[in-house]
Amino acid sequence: MEQSNSKLFSLLETAVMGPLGKVAQFKIVRAIMAAGMASIPFTIVGSMFLVINVLPQTFTFLEDFFNNTFFRVSDLYMLANSTTMGLLALYFCIVLGYEYTKIYAEEEELDLAPMSGALLSMFAFFMSIPQLMIVDGSMSRITDQENAIINGWAIGGDGVERLGTTGIFTGIIMAVLAVQLYRLCVTKKWVIKMPEEVPLGVARAFTALIPAFVVAFTVLIINGALVAAGTDIFQIIAVPFGFVTNLTNSWLGLMVIYFLVSALWLVGIHGANIIFSVLTPITLGNLTANAEGANFALAGEFNNAYVTVGGSGATLGLALFLVYLAKSKQLRVLGKASIIPALFNINEPLIFGIPLIYNPFLAIPFFLAPMASASIAYFAIELEIIRPMIAQMPWPSPIGIGAFIGSGGDWKAAVCAFLCAGVAFLIYFPFARSYDAGLVKQEAQEGEQAV
């Protein structure tokens, strides 16, 4: 048995931890993770104002009150939503440019200014937004009143359409391109060097001058070639990233995601941080789409609201077992220490205390519980039993609260969250009881030896 378990963990290390561990160390992946984390506070704030607007849809008795109070100034307070969720691509692009430049500056000891990297990224992104076409042999910006395209700029409900979630992936590509061109210029010394007496801010401005020209010419050439081919970078990028998004929004894709998260954790790597940080552009894009009437399950804090209730592995039920049902002294002590953090989806005390990592006795429920919870929530949303997530909630929101508020006040979503946690508990129960019994015997033997 021990040999087979050893082979299992060895396989996970080779097939999962090795490749994904290397991917997590890529500079671009770390920069995207940082950009996703930086955008979360703004999406939470923006989402809260959206929740105010949709509450009367659930609590219809509030309609008259809202019509005479909040809705009179909704165009004012909803600016907080439209300038966060409606500008997500811009947030991503700027932060990614900053973080990506900073990583190169620190790790390759290059004279790169993160702020210049951020501005060059934004510069490249904005140049790619207007839509053009060839008319009578000349390139012209598109104006299409019927589709709300004015002089090349497509206008949506929250302003320029391509600055919203539809532009996140283009923003990422443009940021990577701009930073790499900036790095190339500095590495090759294609920069204007100012005397040491010149203030640092002024010197950096001139250092970014030639890179700005290089970025401009490169993006214009790319845009021109694509327009000549009858398309643009947004349409090109939509094909592969649209495929990835559709894949992650399927039940099978969801199962693969949670298998990878659990597999990484079991061999000692923070699976949730790696997988969901990379998926943040998709979950935020789906969140905005849901607010506009779509029905995507993997949106916002779907993960912490329904799946990993109590922390990675869906361990809230396990923590409750340790507190109220465990007979082993060490598990009871660990349960008392871990129950409060578990209520806020923090379970490092369990992950490293039981421990759950490299633990063959609890590996099966650690895999199965999140996959079962995800399946329940996925099909509840897919079958429109509960509303999808439309608002971003802080990930430590206690069970039921994140689902209730995140879904715009759907009480059935809160019930679903408790159902998910209950099923996870039932999956853990026989394994936890068996593991507890083994520890009780071990403690008894150690007590006898001590005597």
Side-chain angles (χ1 to χ4, degrees), residues 248 254-255 257-258 276 283 287 290 296-309 370-382 386-393 395 402-403 406 416-417 420:
T248 57
L254 212 58
M255 294 302 97
I257 288 168
Y258 284 104
F276 280 98
T283 58
L287 188 73
N290 286 346
F296 294 114
L298 189 63
E301 280 299 334
F302 170 87
N303 177 52
N304 288 298
Y306 299 111
V307 186
T308 57
V309 175
M371 294 170 82
S373 298
S375 298
I376 292 168
Y378 174 85
F379 287 111
I381 292 170
E382 191 73 11
I386 63 174
R387 280 191 209 155
M389 302 297 273
I390 63 168
Q392 183 81 335
M393 284 294 293
W395 65 265
C416 182
C420 290

mmCIF file of all heavy atoms in Angstrom, residues 248 254-255 257-258 276 283 287 290 296-309 370-382 386-393 395 402-403 406 416-417 420:
data_model
loop_
_atom_site.group_PDB
_atom_site.id
_atom_site.type_symbol
_atom_site.label_atom_id
_atom_site.label_comp_id
_atom_site.label_asym_id
_atom_site.label_seq_id
_atom_site.Cartn_x
_atom_site.Cartn_y
_atom_site.Cartn_z
ATOM 1 N N THR A 248 -13.084 26.162 -20.351
ATOM 2 C CA THR A 248 -13.152 26.306 -18.895
ATOM 3 C C THR A 248 -14.581 26.465 -18.407
ATOM 4 O O THR A 248 -14.857 26.226 -17.231
ATOM 5 C CB THR A 248 -12.322 27.515 -18.412
ATOM 6 O OG1 THR A 248 -12.790 28.698 -19.066
ATOM 7 C CG2 THR A 248 -10.850 27.332 -18.707
ATOM 8 N N LEU A 254 -14.205 22.302 -15.886
ATOM 9 C CA LEU A 254 -14.233 22.599 -14.451
ATOM 10 C C LEU A 254 -13.611 21.460 -13.647
ATOM 11 O O LEU A 254 -12.868 21.689 -12.691
ATOM 12 C CB LEU A 254 -15.691 22.818 -14.026
ATOM 13 C CG LEU A 254 -15.959 23.807 -12.885
ATOM 14 C CD1 LEU A 254 -15.428 25.188 -13.222
ATOM 15 C CD2 LEU A 254 -17.454 23.868 -12.602
ATOM 16 N N MET A 255 -13.910 20.225 -14.047
ATOM 17 C CA MET A 255 -13.352 19.066 -13.346
ATOM 18 C C MET A 255 -11.820 19.024 -13.485
ATOM 19 O O MET A 255 -11.108 18.706 -12.535
ATOM 20 C CB MET A 255 -13.943 17.761 -13.880
ATOM 21 C CG MET A 255 -15.435 17.578 -13.610
ATOM 22 S SD MET A 255 -15.876 17.620 -11.836
ATOM 23 C CE MET A 255 -16.412 19.340 -11.639
ATOM 24 N N ILE A 257 -9.886 21.612 -13.929
ATOM 25 C CA ILE A 257 -9.361 22.709 -13.111
ATOM 26 C C ILE A 257 -9.204 22.263 -11.657
ATOM 27 O O ILE A 257 -8.145 22.445 -11.039
ATOM 28 C CB ILE A 257 -10.287 23.938 -13.200
ATOM 29 C CG1 ILE A 257 -10.148 24.602 -14.578
ATOM 30 C CG2 ILE A 257 -9.976 24.948 -12.086
ATOM 31 C CD1 ILE A 257 -11.222 25.628 -14.865
ATOM 32 N N TYR A 258 -10.254 21.655 -11.093
ATOM 33 C CA TYR A 258 -10.200 21.281 -9.676
ATOM 34 C C TYR A 258 -9.315 20.073 -9.429
ATOM 35 O O TYR A 258 -8.740 19.938 -8.347
ATOM 36 C CB TYR A 258 -11.615 21.102 -9.116
ATOM 37 C CG TYR A 258 -12.248 22.443 -8.888
ATOM 38 C CD1 TYR A 258 -13.212 22.937 -9.754
ATOM 39 C CD2 TYR A 258 -11.809 23.262 -7.853
ATOM 40 C CE1 TYR A 258 -13.743 24.201 -9.580
ATOM 41 C CE2 TYR A 258 -12.332 24.521 -7.669
ATOM 42 C CZ TYR A 258 -13.294 24.997 -8.534
ATOM 43 O OH TYR A 258 -13.791 26.254 -8.360
ATOM 44 N N PHE A 276 -6.052 29.688 -10.354
ATOM 45 C CA PHE A 276 -7.078 30.724 -10.437
ATOM 46 C C PHE A 276 -6.525 32.115 -10.720
ATOM 47 O O PHE A 276 -7.246 32.965 -11.245
ATOM 48 C CB PHE A 276 -7.953 30.712 -9.176
ATOM 49 C CG PHE A 276 -8.981 29.633 -9.217
ATOM 50 C CD1 PHE A 276 -8.766 28.426 -8.573
ATOM 51 C CD2 PHE A 276 -10.139 29.781 -9.953
ATOM 52 C CE1 PHE A 276 -9.684 27.395 -8.643
ATOM 53 C CE2 PHE A 276 -11.072 28.769 -10.037
ATOM 54 C CZ PHE A 276 -10.850 27.567 -9.376
ATOM 55 N N THR A 283 -12.631 34.587 -15.381
ATOM 56 C CA THR A 283 -13.685 34.685 -14.359
ATOM 57 C C THR A 283 -14.247 36.103 -14.263
ATOM 58 O O THR A 283 -15.440 36.287 -14.059
ATOM 59 C CB THR A 283 -13.174 34.243 -12.976
ATOM 60 O OG1 THR A 283 -12.055 35.045 -12.582
ATOM 61 C CG2 THR A 283 -12.748 32.782 -12.996
ATOM 62 N N LEU A 287 -17.987 37.307 -15.225
ATOM 63 C CA LEU A 287 -18.749 38.066 -14.222
ATOM 64 C C LEU A 287 -19.471 39.230 -14.888
ATOM 65 O O LEU A 287 -20.667 39.456 -14.661
ATOM 66 C CB LEU A 287 -17.792 38.585 -13.143
ATOM 67 C CG LEU A 287 -18.427 39.231 -11.915
ATOM 68 C CD1 LEU A 287 -19.066 38.175 -11.027
ATOM 69 C CD2 LEU A 287 -17.379 40.007 -11.116
ATOM 70 N N ASN A 290 -22.273 37.956 -17.095
ATOM 71 C CA ASN A 290 -23.437 37.553 -16.294
ATOM 72 C C ASN A 290 -24.276 38.746 -15.875
ATOM 73 O O ASN A 290 -25.510 38.684 -15.847
ATOM 74 C CB ASN A 290 -22.989 36.783 -15.048
ATOM 75 C CG ASN A 290 -22.526 35.370 -15.364
ATOM 76 O OD1 ASN A 290 -22.765 34.852 -16.444
ATOM 77 N ND2 ASN A 290 -21.848 34.749 -14.411
ATOM 78 N N PHE A 296 -22.867 32.143 -17.027
ATOM 79 C CA PHE A 296 -21.634 31.366 -16.864
ATOM 80 C C PHE A 296 -21.465 30.972 -15.394
ATOM 81 O O PHE A 296 -21.631 31.801 -14.502
ATOM 82 C CB PHE A 296 -20.412 32.176 -17.305
ATOM 83 C CG PHE A 296 -20.395 32.488 -18.772
ATOM 84 C CD1 PHE A 296 -20.509 33.791 -19.220
ATOM 85 C CD2 PHE A 296 -20.262 31.477 -19.707
ATOM 86 C CE1 PHE A 296 -20.490 34.086 -20.575
ATOM 87 C CE2 PHE A 296 -20.238 31.753 -21.068
ATOM 88 C CZ PHE A 296 -20.361 33.063 -21.506
ATOM 89 N N ALA A 297 -21.110 29.717 -15.161
ATOM 90 C CA ALA A 297 -20.907 29.244 -13.784
ATOM 91 C C ALA A 297 -19.590 29.765 -13.216
ATOM 92 O O ALA A 297 -19.551 30.332 -12.114
ATOM 93 C CB ALA A 297 -20.936 27.721 -13.735
ATOM 94 N N LEU A 298 -18.501 29.593 -13.972
ATOM 95 C CA LEU A 298 -17.182 29.981 -13.476
ATOM 96 C C LEU A 298 -16.998 31.491 -13.623
ATOM 97 O O LEU A 298 -16.429 31.978 -14.593
ATOM 98 C CB LEU A 298 -16.091 29.233 -14.238
ATOM 99 C CG LEU A 298 -14.660 29.383 -13.688
ATOM 100 C CD1 LEU A 298 -14.560 28.796 -12.289
ATOM 101 C CD2 LEU A 298 -13.655 28.737 -14.620
ATOM 102 N N ALA A 299 -17.519 32.216 -12.654
ATOM 103 C CA ALA A 299 -17.464 33.682 -12.701
ATOM 104 C C ALA A 299 -17.243 34.219 -11.298
ATOM 105 O O ALA A 299 -17.711 33.644 -10.312
ATOM 106 C CB ALA A 299 -18.754 34.247 -13.289
ATOM 107 N N GLY A 300 -16.519 35.326 -11.207
ATOM 108 C CA GLY A 300 -16.294 35.951 -9.907
ATOM 109 C C GLY A 300 -15.698 34.974 -8.907
ATOM 110 O O GLY A 300 -14.778 34.233 -9.218
ATOM 111 N N GLU A 301 -16.266 34.957 -7.702
ATOM 112 C CA GLU A 301 -15.773 34.068 -6.649
ATOM 113 C C GLU A 301 -16.599 32.785 -6.560
ATOM 114 O O GLU A 301 -16.916 32.310 -5.461
ATOM 115 C CB GLU A 301 -15.759 34.796 -5.307
ATOM 116 C CG GLU A 301 -14.569 35.711 -5.109
ATOM 117 C CD GLU A 301 -13.231 34.980 -5.159
ATOM 118 O OE1 GLU A 301 -13.197 33.770 -4.868
ATOM 119 O OE2 GLU A 301 -12.224 35.616 -5.501
ATOM 120 N N PHE A 302 -16.952 32.227 -7.705
ATOM 121 C CA PHE A 302 -17.622 30.916 -7.756
ATOM 122 C C PHE A 302 -16.850 29.899 -6.919
ATOM 123 O O PHE A 302 -17.433 29.112 -6.176
ATOM 124 C CB PHE A 302 -17.710 30.457 -9.220
ATOM 125 C CG PHE A 302 -18.166 29.039 -9.406
ATOM 126 C CD1 PHE A 302 -19.516 28.724 -9.475
ATOM 127 C CD2 PHE A 302 -17.239 28.006 -9.528
ATOM 128 C CE1 PHE A 302 -19.935 27.404 -9.650
ATOM 129 C CE2 PHE A 302 -17.649 26.687 -9.706
ATOM 130 C CZ PHE A 302 -19.006 26.390 -9.760
ATOM 131 N N ASN A 303 -15.535 29.944 -7.036
ATOM 132 C CA ASN A 303 -14.685 28.974 -6.350
ATOM 133 C C ASN A 303 -14.879 29.000 -4.845
ATOM 134 O O ASN A 303 -15.176 27.976 -4.217
ATOM 135 C CB ASN A 303 -13.215 29.255 -6.706
ATOM 136 C CG ASN A 303 -12.270 28.333 -5.986
ATOM 137 O OD1 ASN A 303 -12.421 27.123 -6.020
ATOM 138 N ND2 ASN A 303 -11.290 28.914 -5.304
ATOM 139 N N ASN A 304 -14.723 30.165 -4.230
ATOM 140 C CA ASN A 304 -14.806 30.245 -2.769
ATOM 141 C C ASN A 304 -16.238 30.271 -2.253
ATOM 142 O O ASN A 304 -16.481 29.961 -1.089
ATOM 143 C CB ASN A 304 -14.047 31.486 -2.273
ATOM 144 C CG ASN A 304 -12.551 31.319 -2.397
ATOM 145 O OD1 ASN A 304 -11.961 30.443 -1.787
ATOM 146 N ND2 ASN A 304 -11.924 32.139 -3.224
ATOM 147 N N ALA A 305 -17.192 30.658 -3.107
ATOM 148 C CA ALA A 305 -18.591 30.709 -2.670
ATOM 149 C C ALA A 305 -19.212 29.320 -2.605
ATOM 150 O O ALA A 305 -20.017 29.033 -1.714
ATOM 151 C CB ALA A 305 -19.406 31.595 -3.610
ATOM 152 N N TYR A 306 -18.844 28.451 -3.557
ATOM 153 C CA TYR A 306 -19.491 27.149 -3.639
ATOM 154 C C TYR A 306 -18.553 25.952 -3.477
ATOM 155 O O TYR A 306 -18.932 24.933 -2.906
ATOM 156 C CB TYR A 306 -20.187 26.986 -5.000
ATOM 157 C CG TYR A 306 -21.267 27.996 -5.268
ATOM 158 C CD1 TYR A 306 -21.093 28.969 -6.244
ATOM 159 C CD2 TYR A 306 -22.474 27.960 -4.579
ATOM 160 C CE1 TYR A 306 -22.086 29.896 -6.512
ATOM 161 C CE2 TYR A 306 -23.474 28.881 -4.829
ATOM 162 C CZ TYR A 306 -23.273 29.857 -5.803
ATOM 163 O OH TYR A 306 -24.259 30.770 -6.052
ATOM 164 N N VAL A 307 -17.353 26.064 -4.009
ATOM 165 C CA VAL A 307 -16.511 24.876 -4.173
ATOM 166 C C VAL A 307 -15.561 24.674 -3.001
ATOM 167 O O VAL A 307 -15.660 23.680 -2.281
ATOM 168 C CB VAL A 307 -15.722 24.944 -5.499
ATOM 169 C CG1 VAL A 307 -14.962 23.634 -5.710
ATOM 170 C CG2 VAL A 307 -16.669 25.198 -6.662
ATOM 171 N N THR A 308 -14.655 25.594 -2.802
ATOM 172 C CA THR A 308 -13.648 25.419 -1.745
ATOM 173 C C THR A 308 -14.106 26.105 -0.458
ATOM 174 O O THR A 308 -13.384 26.920 0.120
ATOM 175 C CB THR A 308 -12.272 25.953 -2.199
ATOM 176 O OG1 THR A 308 -12.396 27.325 -2.582
ATOM 177 C CG2 THR A 308 -11.746 25.159 -3.369
ATOM 178 N N VAL A 309 -15.318 25.779 -0.042
ATOM 179 C CA VAL A 309 -15.853 26.334 1.209
ATOM 180 C C VAL A 309 -15.023 25.790 2.367
ATOM 181 O O VAL A 309 -14.899 24.584 2.548
ATOM 182 C CB VAL A 309 -17.339 25.958 1.385
ATOM 183 C CG1 VAL A 309 -17.843 26.444 2.738
ATOM 184 C CG2 VAL A 309 -18.178 26.543 0.259
ATOM 185 N N PRO A 370 -14.055 18.872 -3.711
ATOM 186 C CA PRO A 370 -14.216 20.063 -4.556
ATOM 187 C C PRO A 370 -14.875 19.753 -5.898
ATOM 188 O O PRO A 370 -15.658 20.570 -6.407
ATOM 189 C CB PRO A 370 -12.771 20.552 -4.771
ATOM 190 C CG PRO A 370 -11.950 19.882 -3.752
ATOM 191 C CD PRO A 370 -12.639 18.601 -3.430
ATOM 192 N N MET A 371 -14.575 18.589 -6.471
ATOM 193 C CA MET A 371 -15.161 18.235 -7.760
ATOM 194 C C MET A 371 -16.675 18.017 -7.622
ATOM 195 O O MET A 371 -17.456 18.405 -8.500
ATOM 196 C CB MET A 371 -14.471 16.999 -8.328
ATOM 197 C CG MET A 371 -13.005 17.254 -8.673
ATOM 198 S SD MET A 371 -12.059 15.766 -9.082
ATOM 199 C CE MET A 371 -12.493 15.548 -10.790
ATOM 200 N N ALA A 372 -17.102 17.419 -6.512
ATOM 201 C CA ALA A 372 -18.536 17.226 -6.266
ATOM 202 C C ALA A 372 -19.233 18.557 -6.034
ATOM 203 O O ALA A 372 -20.309 18.820 -6.590
ATOM 204 C CB ALA A 372 -18.728 16.305 -5.061
ATOM 205 N N SER A 373 -18.623 19.412 -5.210
ATOM 206 C CA SER A 373 -19.204 20.735 -4.937
ATOM 207 C C SER A 373 -19.308 21.563 -6.214
ATOM 208 O O SER A 373 -20.323 22.223 -6.471
ATOM 209 C CB SER A 373 -18.345 21.484 -3.905
ATOM 210 O OG SER A 373 -18.313 20.791 -2.689
ATOM 211 N N ALA A 374 -18.248 21.543 -7.011
ATOM 212 C CA ALA A 374 -18.243 22.287 -8.271
ATOM 213 C C ALA A 374 -19.335 21.781 -9.206
ATOM 214 O O ALA A 374 -19.998 22.567 -9.894
ATOM 215 C CB ALA A 374 -16.875 22.171 -8.950
ATOM 216 N N SER A 375 -19.544 20.462 -9.227
ATOM 217 C CA SER A 375 -20.573 19.878 -10.091
ATOM 218 C C SER A 375 -21.968 20.328 -9.672
ATOM 219 O O SER A 375 -22.800 20.686 -10.513
ATOM 220 C CB SER A 375 -20.492 18.348 -10.055
ATOM 221 O OG SER A 375 -19.252 17.901 -10.552
ATOM 222 N N ILE A 376 -22.222 20.309 -8.364
ATOM 223 C CA ILE A 376 -23.532 20.736 -7.858
ATOM 224 C C ILE A 376 -23.813 22.180 -8.245
ATOM 225 O O ILE A 376 -24.880 22.511 -8.787
ATOM 226 C CB ILE A 376 -23.602 20.568 -6.328
ATOM 227 C CG1 ILE A 376 -23.585 19.083 -5.962
ATOM 228 C CG2 ILE A 376 -24.860 21.237 -5.754
ATOM 229 C CD1 ILE A 376 -23.351 18.824 -4.485
ATOM 230 N N ALA A 377 -22.857 23.061 -7.969
ATOM 231 C CA ALA A 377 -23.049 24.486 -8.259
ATOM 232 C C ALA A 377 -23.129 24.733 -9.766
ATOM 233 O O ALA A 377 -23.937 25.555 -10.230
ATOM 234 C CB ALA A 377 -21.911 25.298 -7.644
ATOM 235 N N TYR A 378 -22.301 24.035 -10.529
ATOM 236 C CA TYR A 378 -22.295 24.212 -11.991
ATOM 237 C C TYR A 378 -23.661 23.898 -12.574
ATOM 238 O O TYR A 378 -24.229 24.693 -13.340
ATOM 239 C CB TYR A 378 -21.229 23.318 -12.621
ATOM 240 C CG TYR A 378 -21.251 23.327 -14.139
ATOM 241 C CD1 TYR A 378 -20.578 24.310 -14.855
ATOM 242 C CD2 TYR A 378 -21.964 22.359 -14.855
ATOM 243 C CE1 TYR A 378 -20.618 24.327 -16.243
ATOM 244 C CE2 TYR A 378 -22.008 22.374 -16.231
ATOM 245 C CZ TYR A 378 -21.325 23.359 -16.930
ATOM 246 O OH TYR A 378 -21.375 23.374 -18.307
ATOM 247 N N PHE A 379 -24.216 22.745 -12.221
ATOM 248 C CA PHE A 379 -25.496 22.343 -12.809
ATOM 249 C C PHE A 379 -26.659 23.154 -12.241
ATOM 250 O O PHE A 379 -27.664 23.370 -12.937
ATOM 251 C CB PHE A 379 -25.715 20.842 -12.629
ATOM 252 C CG PHE A 379 -24.843 20.015 -13.534
ATOM 253 C CD1 PHE A 379 -23.817 19.237 -13.015
ATOM 254 C CD2 PHE A 379 -25.031 20.040 -14.908
ATOM 255 C CE1 PHE A 379 -23.003 18.487 -13.852
ATOM 256 C CE2 PHE A 379 -24.222 19.295 -15.754
ATOM 257 C CZ PHE A 379 -23.201 18.520 -15.228
ATOM 258 N N ALA A 380 -26.530 23.614 -10.998
ATOM 259 C CA ALA A 380 -27.567 24.498 -10.438
ATOM 260 C C ALA A 380 -27.650 25.796 -11.229
ATOM 261 O O ALA A 380 -28.743 26.331 -11.479
ATOM 262 C CB ALA A 380 -27.273 24.787 -8.967
ATOM 263 N N ILE A 381 -26.484 26.304 -11.649
ATOM 264 C CA ILE A 381 -26.452 27.529 -12.460
ATOM 265 C C ILE A 381 -26.846 27.223 -13.902
ATOM 266 O O ILE A 381 -27.638 27.942 -14.517
ATOM 267 C CB ILE A 381 -25.054 28.170 -12.397
ATOM 268 C CG1 ILE A 381 -24.781 28.713 -10.992
ATOM 269 C CG2 ILE A 381 -24.922 29.301 -13.433
ATOM 270 C CD1 ILE A 381 -23.349 29.144 -10.752
ATOM 271 N N GLU A 382 -26.304 26.135 -14.445
ATOM 272 C CA GLU A 382 -26.570 25.756 -15.832
ATOM 273 C C GLU A 382 -28.069 25.528 -16.055
ATOM 274 O O GLU A 382 -28.619 25.890 -17.097
ATOM 275 C CB GLU A 382 -25.776 24.488 -16.176
ATOM 276 C CG GLU A 382 -25.758 24.128 -17.636
ATOM 277 C CD GLU A 382 -24.895 25.040 -18.483
ATOM 278 O OE1 GLU A 382 -24.124 25.846 -17.928
ATOM 279 O OE2 GLU A 382 -24.999 24.935 -19.713
ATOM 280 N N ILE A 386 -30.344 28.440 -9.722
ATOM 281 C CA ILE A 386 -29.838 29.609 -8.987
ATOM 282 C C ILE A 386 -29.239 30.590 -9.985
ATOM 283 O O ILE A 386 -28.898 30.222 -11.112
ATOM 284 C CB ILE A 386 -28.776 29.221 -7.929
ATOM 285 C CG1 ILE A 386 -27.539 28.610 -8.606
ATOM 286 C CG2 ILE A 386 -29.364 28.271 -6.909
ATOM 287 C CD1 ILE A 386 -26.388 28.337 -7.652
ATOM 288 N N ARG A 387 -29.122 31.827 -9.574
ATOM 289 C CA ARG A 387 -28.516 32.842 -10.431
ATOM 290 C C ARG A 387 -27.001 32.666 -10.491
ATOM 291 O O ARG A 387 -26.385 32.255 -9.504
ATOM 292 C CB ARG A 387 -28.791 34.245 -9.871
ATOM 293 C CG ARG A 387 -30.161 34.782 -10.191
ATOM 294 C CD ARG A 387 -30.182 36.243 -9.821
ATOM 295 N NE ARG A 387 -31.517 36.663 -9.446
ATOM 296 C CZ ARG A 387 -31.765 37.686 -8.642
ATOM 297 N NH1 ARG A 387 -30.764 38.352 -8.093
ATOM 298 N NH2 ARG A 387 -32.997 38.037 -8.372
ATOM 299 N N PRO A 388 -26.378 33.026 -11.599
ATOM 300 C CA PRO A 388 -24.915 32.998 -11.657
ATOM 301 C C PRO A 388 -24.327 34.151 -10.862
ATOM 302 O O PRO A 388 -25.059 35.061 -10.439
ATOM 303 C CB PRO A 388 -24.630 33.151 -13.155
ATOM 304 C CG PRO A 388 -25.776 33.984 -13.645
ATOM 305 C CD PRO A 388 -26.976 33.509 -12.858
ATOM 306 N N MET A 389 -23.048 34.129 -10.669
ATOM 307 C CA MET A 389 -22.378 35.223 -9.962
ATOM 308 C C MET A 389 -22.364 36.463 -10.848
ATOM 309 O O MET A 389 -21.962 36.404 -12.014
ATOM 310 C CB MET A 389 -20.944 34.830 -9.603
ATOM 311 C CG MET A 389 -20.839 33.581 -8.744
ATOM 312 S SD MET A 389 -21.605 33.771 -7.124
ATOM 313 C CE MET A 389 -20.246 34.459 -6.192
ATOM 314 N N ILE A 390 -22.812 37.588 -10.291
ATOM 315 C CA ILE A 390 -22.807 38.844 -11.043
ATOM 316 C C ILE A 390 -21.974 39.915 -10.341
ATOM 317 O O ILE A 390 -21.733 40.985 -10.892
ATOM 318 C CB ILE A 390 -24.229 39.383 -11.271
ATOM 319 C CG1 ILE A 390 -24.902 39.723 -9.932
ATOM 320 C CG2 ILE A 390 -25.069 38.398 -12.078
ATOM 321 C CD1 ILE A 390 -26.168 40.519 -10.072
ATOM 322 N N ALA A 391 -21.558 39.629 -9.111
ATOM 323 C CA ALA A 391 -20.797 40.618 -8.331
ATOM 324 C C ALA A 391 -19.603 39.937 -7.672
ATOM 325 O O ALA A 391 -19.697 38.782 -7.225
ATOM 326 C CB ALA A 391 -21.686 41.249 -7.256
ATOM 327 N N GLN A 392 -18.502 40.644 -7.627
ATOM 328 C CA GLN A 392 -17.277 40.099 -7.023
ATOM 329 C C GLN A 392 -17.314 40.299 -5.514
ATOM 330 O O GLN A 392 -17.557 41.403 -5.034
ATOM 331 C CB GLN A 392 -16.057 40.818 -7.613
ATOM 332 C CG GLN A 392 -14.727 40.286 -7.121
ATOM 333 C CD GLN A 392 -14.295 39.038 -7.860
ATOM 334 O OE1 GLN A 392 -15.118 38.313 -8.395
ATOM 335 N NE2 GLN A 392 -13.006 38.783 -7.891
ATOM 336 N N MET A 393 -17.089 39.210 -4.786
ATOM 337 C CA MET A 393 -17.066 39.264 -3.330
ATOM 338 C C MET A 393 -15.656 38.972 -2.831
ATOM 339 O O MET A 393 -14.889 38.273 -3.492
ATOM 340 C CB MET A 393 -18.031 38.231 -2.749
ATOM 341 C CG MET A 393 -19.480 38.633 -2.845
ATOM 342 S SD MET A 393 -19.841 40.078 -1.823
ATOM 343 C CE MET A 393 -19.618 39.398 -0.177
ATOM 344 N N TRP A 395 -12.821 36.951 -1.222
ATOM 345 C CA TRP A 395 -12.769 35.479 -1.150
ATOM 346 C C TRP A 395 -12.948 34.912 0.257
ATOM 347 O O TRP A 395 -13.419 33.785 0.400
ATOM 348 C CB TRP A 395 -11.488 34.949 -1.795
ATOM 349 C CG TRP A 395 -10.216 35.336 -1.101
ATOM 350 C CD1 TRP A 395 -9.419 36.392 -1.394
ATOM 351 C CD2 TRP A 395 -9.588 34.672 0.002
ATOM 352 N NE1 TRP A 395 -8.343 36.437 -0.554
ATOM 353 C CE2 TRP A 395 -8.416 35.386 0.323
ATOM 354 C CE3 TRP A 395 -9.903 33.533 0.743
ATOM 355 C CZ2 TRP A 395 -7.563 35.015 1.354
ATOM 356 C CZ3 TRP A 395 -9.057 33.160 1.780
ATOM 357 C CH2 TRP A 395 -7.900 33.898 2.064
ATOM 358 N N GLY A 402 -21.088 34.842 0.602
ATOM 359 C CA GLY A 402 -20.485 35.111 -0.697
ATOM 360 C C GLY A 402 -21.406 34.730 -1.838
ATOM 361 O O GLY A 402 -21.534 35.456 -2.826
ATOM 362 N N ALA A 403 -22.083 33.583 -1.711
ATOM 363 C CA ALA A 403 -23.005 33.127 -2.759
ATOM 364 C C ALA A 403 -24.233 34.022 -2.832
ATOM 365 O O ALA A 403 -24.697 34.368 -3.926
ATOM 366 C CB ALA A 403 -23.418 31.687 -2.481
ATOM 367 N N GLY A 406 -22.975 37.638 -3.982
ATOM 368 C CA GLY A 406 -22.365 37.523 -5.303
ATOM 369 C C GLY A 406 -23.376 37.247 -6.402
ATOM 370 O O GLY A 406 -23.194 37.652 -7.552
ATOM 371 N N CYS A 416 -27.590 26.592 -1.867
ATOM 372 C CA CYS A 416 -26.713 25.755 -2.690
ATOM 373 C C CYS A 416 -25.318 25.670 -2.073
ATOM 374 O O CYS A 416 -24.696 24.605 -2.076
ATOM 375 C CB CYS A 416 -26.628 26.311 -4.110
ATOM 376 S SG CYS A 416 -25.623 25.323 -5.237
ATOM 377 N N ALA A 417 -24.816 26.794 -1.549
ATOM 378 C CA ALA A 417 -23.495 26.806 -0.919
ATOM 379 C C ALA A 417 -23.466 25.856 0.283
ATOM 380 O O ALA A 417 -22.499 25.099 0.472
ATOM 381 C CB ALA A 417 -23.132 28.222 -0.481
ATOM 382 N N CYS A 420 -23.475 22.281 -1.006
ATOM 383 C CA CYS A 420 -22.133 21.907 -1.474
ATOM 384 C C CYS A 420 -21.236 21.520 -0.298
ATOM 385 O O CYS A 420 -20.522 20.513 -0.350
ATOM 386 C CB CYS A 420 -21.500 23.066 -2.252
ATOM 387 S SG CYS A 420 -22.255 23.389 -3.856
#
